[in-house]
């Protein structure tokens, strides 16, 4: 009887004929009757356990209003829940498939604060509630049944609060979206109920999702690993330039990398073709401009091995007068040497410009080539330099000569390099060069100069050089040095030191007369 006094009380002072059509209208329009405070005091004397009794000793006007408003909500909610006799009892709060109504009553915190002691079942099923767990319903501490299934509740389940409901025997949180981080399955709370209370709620590992994870782990993951390994293997073998710099050998180029750099050997990238060598201007993946010499001649396995050895050696050449070698390709179907692209012109072109009219400027270029000769002689004597005005470039940046052609020979190639330097020096003075279309072109070229040596050298000296009479003897000394370098047998050749001293002497004398 005591537990139902609150219900009887509010139905006595609020007869059904007084209530409006909606709870919101009644909350807005109704006010506590004059004897309301006395009535709740008497109720608390009869049953001190009533929830609002805890506040009567220090009730303020706001407390009285809240208690009165809670009676209005209780009256409406009891009828909304279709309890058979709200005059006698209010045992159930039941709202099914009415999202707006459920959300409205959940918003009345003041009602849940004074939840009637007779309420033992709360059933809010299929209301599309998409908030976190409605903890205000847990103020009804006497609950035996709580069903919040078929909603969209998310976040954490208040396990500690639910554990405090000593009378709770039936709980249903199924078909919601709670967080798996709740770890309810590991708690004592879970043992109090069973898995049927949490079907597809999110708080327990979903069997189907578990199967999917197992499927991914056993099938999809291995396939992904295999594909990744395949892609990584393909990049290692075909396109190592896609790998981080620390994971690749920069000097090794594959045919696929050369193909990409030259746009599949397009005519737009082709610079020249001669003697079984196609020269392309390519762009590497990192944006570096490169000169790519593609050797079209088919060679044996032994020749390919020799080519690789040559490339290994020239790759190590590091000197200001050498074009830097970036790497090479030595595949079965493609052999290529990749060097940096130099923005400049060949000496052959430069000699026909107005910039090459000075003997002193030409000697300065020659001195750079001699420096390169010394470097090779000391560090890489097996390297043969291709010295000619067509293969030596002039850097745009500092006008330094850059030797761009070299290969590996057998043993010490100092004699060959000195011979090649002699031809180069003669080309620089005469602006004439061997006719490669003719057989034995070097011999014919040297014979032509020797015919005019020493009395008629004016006929072979480049006219554009405009040599003054006082410098003519020095120019003749330069021709003499070139002819000495091309003497055979090699025993008659000057040493590199003698060559260097003479070139320096000629350059210094040209500076004094400049």
């Amino acid at each position: 009887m005591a537990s139902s006094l609150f219900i009887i009380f509010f139905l006595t002072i609020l007869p059904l004929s007084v209530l409006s059509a909606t709870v919101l209208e009644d909350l807005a329009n109704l006010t506590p009757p004059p004897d309301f405070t006395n009535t709740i005091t008497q109720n608390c004397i009869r049953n001190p356990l009533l929830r609002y009794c805890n506040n009567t000793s220090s009730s303020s006007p706001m407390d009285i209003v809240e208690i009165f408003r809670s009676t209005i909500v209780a009256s409406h909610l009891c009828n909304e829940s279709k309890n058979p006799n709200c005059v006698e009892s209010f045992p159930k709060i039941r709202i099914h498939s009415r999202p707006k109504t459920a959300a409205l009553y959940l918003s009345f915190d003041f009602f849940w604060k004074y939840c009637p002691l007779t309420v033992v079942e709360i059933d809010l099923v299929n209301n599309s509630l998409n908030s976190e767990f409605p903890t205000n319903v847990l103020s009804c501490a006497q609950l035996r049944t709580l069903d919040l299934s078929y909603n969209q509740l998310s976040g954490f389940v208040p396990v500690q609060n639910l554990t405090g409901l000593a009378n709770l025997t039936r709980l249903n949180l199924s078909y919601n979206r709670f967080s798996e981080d709740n770890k309810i399955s590991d708690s004592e709370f879970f043992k109090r109920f069973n898995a049927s209370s949490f079907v597809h709620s999110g708080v327990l590992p979903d069997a189907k999702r578990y199967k999917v994870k197992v499927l991914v782990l056993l099938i999809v993951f291995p396939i992904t690993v295999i594909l990744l390994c395949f892609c990584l293997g393909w990049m290692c073998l075909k396109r190592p330039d896609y790998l981080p710099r620390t994971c690749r050998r920069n000097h090794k180029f594959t045919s696929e990398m050369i193909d990409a750099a030259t746009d599949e050997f397009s005519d737009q990238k082709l610079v020249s073709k001669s003697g079984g060598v196609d020269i392309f201007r390519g762009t590497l993946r990192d944006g570096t401009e490169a000169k790519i010499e593609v050797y079209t001649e088919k060679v044996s396995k032994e020749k390919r091995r020799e080519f690789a050895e040559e490339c290994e050696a020239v790759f190590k050449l590091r000197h200001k007068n050498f074009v830097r070698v970036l790497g090479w390709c030595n595949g079965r179907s493609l052999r290529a040497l990749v060097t940096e692209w130099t923005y400049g012109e060949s000496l052959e072109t430069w000699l026909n410009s107005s910039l090459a009219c000075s003997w002193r400027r030409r000697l300065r270029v020659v001195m750079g080539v001699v420096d390169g000769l010394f470097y090779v002689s000391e560090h890489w004597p097996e390297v043969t330099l291709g010295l000619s005005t067509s293969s030596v470039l002039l850097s745009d940046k500092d006008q330094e000569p850059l030797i761009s052609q070299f290969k590996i020979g057998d043993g010490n190639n100092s004699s060959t390099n000195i011979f090649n330097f002699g031809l180069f020096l003669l080309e620089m003075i005469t602006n004439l060069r061997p006719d490669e279309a003719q057989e034995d072109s070097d011999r014919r070229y040297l014979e032509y100069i020797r015919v005019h040596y020493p009395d008629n050298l004016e006929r072979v000296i480049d006219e554009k050089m405009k040599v003054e009479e006082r410098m003519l003897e020095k120019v003749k000394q330069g021709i003499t040095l070139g002819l000495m370098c091309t003497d055979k047998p090699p025993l008659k050749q000057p040493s590199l030191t003698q060559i260097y001293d003479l070139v320096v002497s000629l350059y210094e004398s040209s500076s004094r007369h400049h």
Side-chain angles (χ1 to χ4, degrees), residues 270-279 293-296 405 436:
L270 182 63
V271 177
S272 64
K273 301 178 74 169
S274 64
V277 180
D278 296 348
I279 297 179
E293 297 183 13
V294 178
Y295 303 99
T296 57
Q405 288 187 4
E436 294 183 358

Side-chain angles (χ1 to χ4, degrees), residues 143-346:
L143 277 181
R144 297 173 189 168
T145 300
L146 177 60
D147 192 341
L148 299 175
S149 59
Y150 292 95
N151 285 292
Q152 299 177 30
L153 299 173
S154 59
F156 287 88
V157 175
V159 175
Q160 189 172 355
N161 299 47
L162 286 167
T163 303
L165 302 180
N167 298 322
L168 188 64
T169 57
R170 182 176 176 272
L171 176 66
N172 192 357
L173 301 180
S174 300
Y175 299 97
N176 279 288
R177 299 178 178 176
F178 293 112
S179 171
E180 286 188 13
D181 294 337
N182 284 281
K183 298 182 179 179
I184 286 179
S185 59
D186 300 330
S187 66
E188 290 294 326
F189 175 74
F190 179 75
K191 296 175 183 177
R192 182 174 162 186
F193 302 96
N194 55 58
S196 62
S197 298
F198 309 101
V199 176
H200 295 294
S201 62
V203 299
L204 298 178
D206 191 308
K208 289 185 178 178
R209 291 175 63 185
Y210 178 75
K211 290 179 181 178
V212 170
K213 289 181 179 179
V214 170
L215 183 67
V216 169
L217 187 63
L218 296 181
I219 299 177
V220 178
F221 180 71
I223 291 175
T224 303
V225 171
I226 291 171
L227 289 176
L228 286 174
C229 290
F230 175 80
C231 292
L232 186 61
W234 180 85
M235 285 192 294
C236 289
L237 294 174
K238 303 293 185 179
R239 291 300 303 270
D241 51 333
Y242 278 103
L243 298 173
R245 288 186 178 275
T246 54
C247 300
R248 67 176 191 256
R249 291 180 294 180
N250 292 336
H251 58 283
K252 290 294 181 69
F253 286 78
T254 63
S255 56
E256 286 78 9
M257 291 170 64
I258 301 295
D259 189 66
T262 59
D263 291 343
E264 299 180 354
F265 305 103
S266 67
D267 292 339
Q268 289 76 14
K269 296 284 187 177
L270 182 63
V271 177
S272 64
K273 301 178 74 169
S274 64
V277 180
D278 296 348
I279 297 179
F280 293 86
R281 179 176 181 175
T283 304
L284 306 184
R285 188 174 177 276
D286 62 1
T288 302
E289 296 266 23
K291 174 186 174 184
I292 301 174
E293 297 183 13
V294 178
Y295 303 99
T296 57
E297 181 186 1
K298 300 295 181 183
V299 297
S300 64
K301 185 177 181 179
E302 179 61 24
K303 289 291 184 181
R304 282 181 52 219
R305 185 188 63 78
E306 293 175 1
F307 174 75
E309 290 177 355
E310 290 181 11
C311 292
E312 288 276 5
V314 297
F315 176 74
K316 298 173 183 177
L317 295 177
R318 292 291 183 268
H319 190 270
K320 66 183 180 67
N321 295 115
F322 282 90
V323 171
R324 187 164 65 94
V325 176
L326 302 178
W328 66 91
C329 173
N330 190 27
R332 292 182 179 179
S333 58
L334 178 67
R335 290 183 304 126
L337 183 67
V338 183
T339 60
E340 65 179 346
W341 182 267
T342 303
Y343 289 92
E345 57 188 352
S346 69

Side-chain angles (χ1 to χ4, degrees), residues 64-134:
I64 298 301
V65 172
E66 266 197 357
I67 295 170
F68 178 73
R69 285 164 62 85
S70 71
T71 65
I72 296 174
V73 173
S75 177
H76 279 273
L77 186 54
C78 183
N79 287 289
E80 288 275 10
S81 301
K82 294 183 171 44
N83 286 285
N85 186 3
C86 288
V87 175
E88 294 294 334
S89 179
F90 180 10
K92 298 179 181 179
I93 296 175
R94 179 179 293 175
I95 302 176
H96 281 206
S97 305
R98 289 183 289 165
K100 291 183 179 179
T101 302
L104 176 64
Y105 281 102
L106 283 173
S107 70
F108 296 138
D109 289 336
F110 56 86
F111 164 73
W112 300 102
K113 178 180 178 182
Y114 303 116
C115 177
L117 294 176
T118 56
V119 175
V120 293
E121 179 181 332
I122 296 178
D123 190 346
L124 303 175
V125 176
N126 195 30
N127 286 299
S128 302
L129 301 174
N130 58 3
S131 63
E132 294 185 346
F133 191 100

Side-chain angles (χ1 to χ4, degrees), residues 231-475:
C231 292
L232 186 61
W234 180 85
M235 285 192 294
C236 289
L237 294 174
K238 303 293 185 179
R239 291 300 303 270
D241 51 333
Y242 278 103
L243 298 173
R245 288 186 178 275
T246 54
C247 300
R248 67 176 191 256
R249 291 180 294 180
N250 292 336
H251 58 283
K252 290 294 181 69
F253 286 78
T254 63
S255 56
E256 286 78 9
M257 291 170 64
I258 301 295
D259 189 66
T262 59
D263 291 343
E264 299 180 354
F265 305 103
S266 67
D267 292 339
Q268 289 76 14
K269 296 284 187 177
L270 182 63
V271 177
S272 64
K273 301 178 74 169
S274 64
V277 180
D278 296 348
I279 297 179
F280 293 86
R281 179 176 181 175
T283 304
L284 306 184
R285 188 174 177 276
D286 62 1
T288 302
E289 296 266 23
K291 174 186 174 184
I292 301 174
E293 297 183 13
V294 178
Y295 303 99
T296 57
E297 181 186 1
K298 300 295 181 183
V299 297
S300 64
K301 185 177 181 179
E302 179 61 24
K303 289 291 184 181
R304 282 181 52 219
R305 185 188 63 78
E306 293 175 1
F307 174 75
E309 290 177 355
E310 290 181 11
C311 292
E312 288 276 5
V314 297
F315 176 74
K316 298 173 183 177
L317 295 177
R318 292 291 183 268
H319 190 270
K320 66 183 180 67
N321 295 115
F322 282 90
V323 171
R324 187 164 65 94
V325 176
L326 302 178
W328 66 91
C329 173
N330 190 27
R332 292 182 179 179
S333 58
L334 178 67
R335 290 183 304 126
L337 183 67
V338 183
T339 60
E340 65 179 346
W341 182 267
T342 303
Y343 289 92
E345 57 188 352
S346 69
L347 289 179
E348 183 177 355
T349 303
W350 181 75
L351 286 173
N352 290 305
S353 70
S354 59
L355 296 174
C357 62
S358 165
W359 165 240
R360 181 170 175 270
R361 286 189 178 182
R362 298 193 189 196
L363 280 175
R364 185 176 180 277
V365 171
V366 171
M367 286 183 64
V369 174
V370 173
D371 281 342
L373 266 176
F374 255 102
Y375 170 76
V376 167
S377 176
E378 291 178 1
H379 298 93
W380 306 100
E382 69 273 24
V383 172
T384 301
L385 302 181
L387 297 177
S388 68
T389 53
S390 61
S391 65
V392 177
L393 309 177
L394 200 61
S395 170
D396 270 353
K397 186 186 299 184
D398 49 19
Q399 294 293 292
E400 279 287 345
L402 296 172
I403 302 168
S404 65
Q405 288 187 4
F406 21 68
K407 64 179 183 178
I408 304 299
D410 296 324
N412 191 313
N413 289 292
S414 293
S415 176
T416 303
N417 285 333
I418 290 174
F419 179 87
N420 292 342
F421 171 77
L423 285 175
F424 169 77
L425 180 59
L426 293 174
E427 288 184 33
M428 290 291 292
I429 296 173
T430 64
N431 196 14
L432 301 172
R433 56 203 52 85
D435 184 359
E436 294 183 358
Q438 292 183 348
E439 185 179 352
D440 204 8
S441 57
D442 290 348
R443 183 183 60 80
R444 291 171 179 268
Y445 174 73
L446 292 172
E447 282 183 354
Y448 173 76
I449 294 177
R450 285 193 175 101
V451 165
H452 298 89
Y453 180 83
D455 299 325
N456 296 316
L457 287 179
E458 293 85 349
R459 297 188 60 180
V460 295
I461 296 174
D462 186 11
E463 294 178 353
K464 290 188 290 298
M465 199 156 53
K466 298 178 182 178
V467 180
E468 298 178 5
E469 187 68 30
R470 58 183 178 176
M471 290 301 301
L472 184 59
E473 188 59 34
K474 299 295 182 181
V475 177

